[in-house]
Amino acid sequence: GLVIVEATAVVAEGRISPQDSGLWSDAHIEPLARIVRFIHEQGAFAGIQLAHAGRKASTLRPWDGDGVAGRLMMLMMTPGAPGPYLAASAGMWLAMMIAMMVPAALPLMLVFRGLDRGPRGGGDPLLFVLGYLATWSAVALLGAGAQWWLHADGLLYGHRLATATPLAGALLIAAGLWQLSPMKAACLAHCLGPLGFLLRHARPGRLGAFVMGAHHGLYCLGCCWMLMVLMFAGGVMSVVTMAVIAALILAERLLPAG
């Protein structure tokens, strides 16, 4: 028999619809080769229909609109030139870091703001927050780089950009082991006592406020870095995965058992 893969776009912008298959990047070779090998194993021949939709091409899902967010998402669906891809994915990772980590750190930020109003104040709560975000901005850049590398190597799949099941399972096991590790417990101890952290690591002035924020961000990173890695298991474009991880991070800090 003959099996034909239809409507395979030769360039990203030539797809008929956003999720059409394509053959415009070296990253597509191995996934398509696996399909060909499977077809041959069944005793059939493989064919492919190369396509470019021209003026009818569409790379945006109708419900996403065609605004800035939609265009950034499309940049991340095709690991072409690293510059635009990394810029778009770094912005997405930074937004995720803020959404997931700021609620968990809010109690400490409020305590710092209250202490700064006292007679020994002199720091700047805004600089404390900026220091905290500086740490997570660096994490966002690392996440964007890891995403581009995995995507370019064909290890992220589908519109959620998730890893294959075996790798996702390995990441889940690794995250579970980290959750039970002494290092995780030590970092979490610094996050659970806002007042204790501020008293132990107090620094004077505005620079001190920035350094304290960055320092606390490092402890939070020690607590949560493996949970962040799970974004690759559930899909870096998955809002559900982000919400579940954010809920776990917040529960660790608010529930009595930690």
Side-chain angles (χ1 to χ4, degrees):
L2 175 64
V3 179
I4 298 177
V5 179
E6 68 170 357
T8 305
V10 293
V11 290
E13 60 272 20
R15 287 170 289 176
I16 298 173
S17 62
Q19 302 305 321
D20 274 359
S21 62
L23 187 53
W24 65 81
S25 167
D26 288 347
H28 299 151
I29 296 174
E30 179 54 28
L32 286 170
R34 289 199 297 267
I35 296 174
V36 171
R37 288 194 293 268
F38 177 78
I39 293 172
H40 288 172
E41 289 169 359
Q42 312 310 308
F45 293 98
I48 190 169
Q49 178 193 28
L50 299 178
H52 190 299
R55 295 179 62 185
K56 295 182 179 180
S58 173
T59 57
L60 291 175
R61 295 179 296 183
W63 53 89
D64 287 335
D66 99 4
V68 174
R71 294 185 183 279
L72 289 176
M73 289 177 65
M74 290 314 304
L75 282 174
M76 288 184 287
M77 296 307 292
T78 53
Y85 185 102
L86 288 172
S89 56
M92 179 199 71
W93 274 91
L94 181 57
M96 288 197 302
M97 297 300 100
I98 293 173
M100 288 192 282
M101 297 309 305
V102 169
L106 188 59
L108 185 139
M109 295 174 184
L110 293 176
V111 171
F112 179 84
R113 183 169 180 266
L115 292 176
D116 191 66
R117 288 177 170 177
R120 301 183 62 183
D124 189 326
L126 178 59
L127 286 173
F128 182 90
V129 174
L130 290 177
Y132 183 80
L133 293 179
T135 298
W136 285 102
S137 295
V139 176
L141 292 176
L142 291 174
Q147 178 184 326
W148 181 81
W149 175 68
L150 290 170
H151 203 176
D153 277 7
L155 298 175
L156 297 180
Y157 303 94
H159 67 278
R160 293 184 295 113
L161 297 185
T163 60
T165 301
L167 181 54
L171 292 177
L172 284 167
I173 293 172
L177 293 174
W178 177 256
Q179 290 293 101
L180 300 175
S181 69
M183 184 67 73
K184 160 77 179 192
C187 291
L188 185 58
H190 287 275
C191 296
L192 291 178
L195 184 58
F197 171 85
L198 294 174
L199 293 176
R200 283 191 299 270
H201 302 284
R203 291 173 178 264
R206 296 182 174 226
L207 178 60
F210 183 89
V211 172
M212 288 171 66
H215 195 172
H216 184 64
L218 288 175
Y219 281 123
C220 287
L221 175 59
C223 286
C224 305
W225 73 276
M226 269 308 303
L227 292 177
M228 296 301 178
V229 171
L230 291 182
M231 285 298 304
F232 293 108
V236 295
M237 304 288 279
S238 170
V239 176
V240 173
T241 301
M242 184 185 73
V244 170
I245 293 174
L248 289 173
I249 292 170
L250 192 59
E252 279 188 332
R253 285 155 177 75
L254 297 183
L255 295 180

